[in-house]
């Protein structure tokens, strides 16, 4: 079961460019019964390992803006640290775990809704306001907070932020945002690892599936249009988010 989950998640990430944090942790919570803190910690390390080769590729091609990335990391690292400890403190109380499930569900639905906005905006003119660049660390603090608490949001939120505040070309936006997500995953995953909230057996099975899913996803991305895949992925994410909220209310 875990290998299949790793396979399909890696397939989705490779073919659509999104889904690592938004799908992995919620699927663990709902279908595998993993506690929120273990699910998020394991997801962050899984996301880190999957993104490393992609991040290296974009960096070597000069498609990462290091100055913008440093501004993003300034706020994001602080946010992911606080978010990680916030989840840890809440889940230490058994009565609050159901509340955490509901909050993660809301975050997942919020992220999916922003994905829909991004799809509608894609191809249309984006009103650029570079004056907001000074506020990038503030914006990324809240993105990091969300990632540390739920593992979700770095991809779409980072992309939207770069679209509206910088003049980077699309490949630079993708490369810079991937590296931003990689940094958050490294910091958050390291914290959860130090707190003992990583399931290595589960992580190994997810990676075993990802080893097969990544090359198949790369091949499929060349053959299958991305938009229908993203729509299907968003439908699934909305389903996952509502299920988390349902489980929270039921318990």
């Amino acid at each position: 079961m875990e290998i299949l989950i790793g396979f399909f998640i890696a397939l989705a990430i490779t073919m659509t460019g999104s889904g690592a944090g938004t799908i992995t942790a919620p699927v663990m919570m709902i279908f595998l019964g993993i506690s929120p803190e273990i699910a998020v910690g394991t997801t962050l390390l899984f996301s880190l390992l999957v993104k490393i080769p992609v991040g290296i590729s974009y960096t070597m091609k000069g498609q990462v803006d290091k100055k913008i990335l440093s501004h993003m990391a300034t706020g994001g690292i602080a946010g992911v640290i606080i978010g990680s400890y916030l989840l840890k403190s809440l889940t230490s109380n058994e009565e609050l775990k159901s509340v955490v499930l509901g909050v993660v569900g809301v975050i997942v639905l919020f992220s999916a809704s922003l994905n829909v906005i991004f799809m509608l905006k894609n191809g249309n003119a984006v009103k650029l306001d570079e004056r907001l660049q000074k506020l990038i660390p503030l914006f990324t603090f809240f993105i990091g907070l969300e990632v540390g608490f739920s593992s979700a949001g770095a991809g779409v939120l980072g992309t939207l932020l770069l679209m509206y505040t910088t003049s980077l070309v699309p490949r630079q936006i993708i490369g810079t945002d991937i590296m931003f997500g990689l940094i958050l995953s490294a910091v958050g995953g390291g914290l959860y690892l130090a707190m003992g909230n990583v399931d290595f057996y589960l992580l190994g099975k997810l990676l075993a599936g990802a080893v097969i899913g990544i090359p198949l996803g790369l091949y499929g991305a060349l053959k299958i249009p991305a938009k229908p895949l993203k729509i299907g992925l968003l439908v699934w994410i909305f389903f996952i988010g509502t299920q988390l909220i349902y489980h929270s209310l039921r318990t």
Side-chain angles (χ1 to χ4, degrees):
M1 178 68 171
E2 294 90 343
I3 294 176
L4 281 175
I5 291 173
F7 168 77
F8 283 113
I9 290 173
L11 196 68
I13 295 168
T14 310
M15 294 181 74
T16 67
S18 59
T22 312
I23 300 175
T24 314
V27 165
M28 289 184 195
M29 295 179 206
I30 294 173
F31 297 105
L32 301 180
I34 306 296
S35 61
E37 69 276 20
I38 299 294
V40 172
T42 305
T43 293
L44 287 173
L45 283 185
F46 175 66
S47 177
L48 169 65
L49 295 172
V50 170
K51 287 179 179 178
I52 282 176
V54 184
I56 291 174
S57 175
Y58 275 95
T59 302
M60 292 180 66
K61 292 176 182 177
Q63 293 169 342
V64 175
D65 189 303
K66 295 179 182 178
K67 182 179 179 181
I68 296 296
L69 179 62
S70 66
H71 290 326
M72 297 177 77
T74 300
I77 290 174
V80 78
I81 291 172
I82 294 174
S84 300
Y85 281 109
L86 178 61
L87 179 63
K88 175 65 176 177
S89 64
L90 289 176
T91 53
S92 61
N93 186 332
E94 286 294 327
E95 294 181 356
L96 291 177
K97 284 194 176 183
S98 62
V99 176
V100 171
L101 284 179
V103 173
V104 173
V106 170
I107 291 173
V108 168
L109 290 178
F110 174 68
S111 180
S113 299
L114 287 178
N115 265 288
V116 172
I117 294 172
F118 176 73
M119 287 181 64
L120 294 175
K121 282 285 187 182
N122 195 20
N124 298 325
V126 174
K127 187 177 181 181
L128 182 66
D129 190 349
E130 293 190 352
R131 294 175 299 177
L132 293 175
Q133 280 193 20
K134 295 180 180 179
L135 297 178
I136 283 179
L138 177 62
F139 292 137
T140 55
F141 170 81
F142 289 105
I143 294 174
L145 191 68
E146 183 176 345
V147 171
F149 189 85
S150 70
S151 79
V156 65
L157 293 177
T159 297
L160 287 171
L161 177 63
L162 292 173
M163 283 176 62
Y164 282 95
T165 62
T166 73
S167 56
L168 299 180
V169 298
R171 297 292 290 178
Q172 290 176 313
I173 288 176
I174 295 171
T176 305
D177 188 43
I178 285 175
M179 286 303 298
F180 173 59
L182 193 154
I183 291 170
L184 294 188
S185 296
V187 174
L191 283 174
Y192 280 100
L193 180 62
M195 293 186 287
N197 290 328
V198 174
D199 187 326
F200 286 103
Y201 178 72
L202 176 57
L203 178 62
K205 285 197 167 186
L206 291 172
L207 290 172
V211 168
I212 305 170
I214 290 173
L216 284 179
L218 291 172
Y219 177 78
L222 299 175
K223 301 293 182 180
I224 304 172
K227 193 167 184 179
L229 292 171
K230 286 187 176 182
I231 292 173
L233 181 63
L234 285 173
V235 171
W236 176 249
I237 292 173
F238 274 110
F239 169 75
I240 291 294
T242 54
Q243 285 298 303
L244 282 170
I245 294 171
Y246 168 73
H247 281 277
S248 173
L249 294 174
R250 190 180 66 177
T251 55

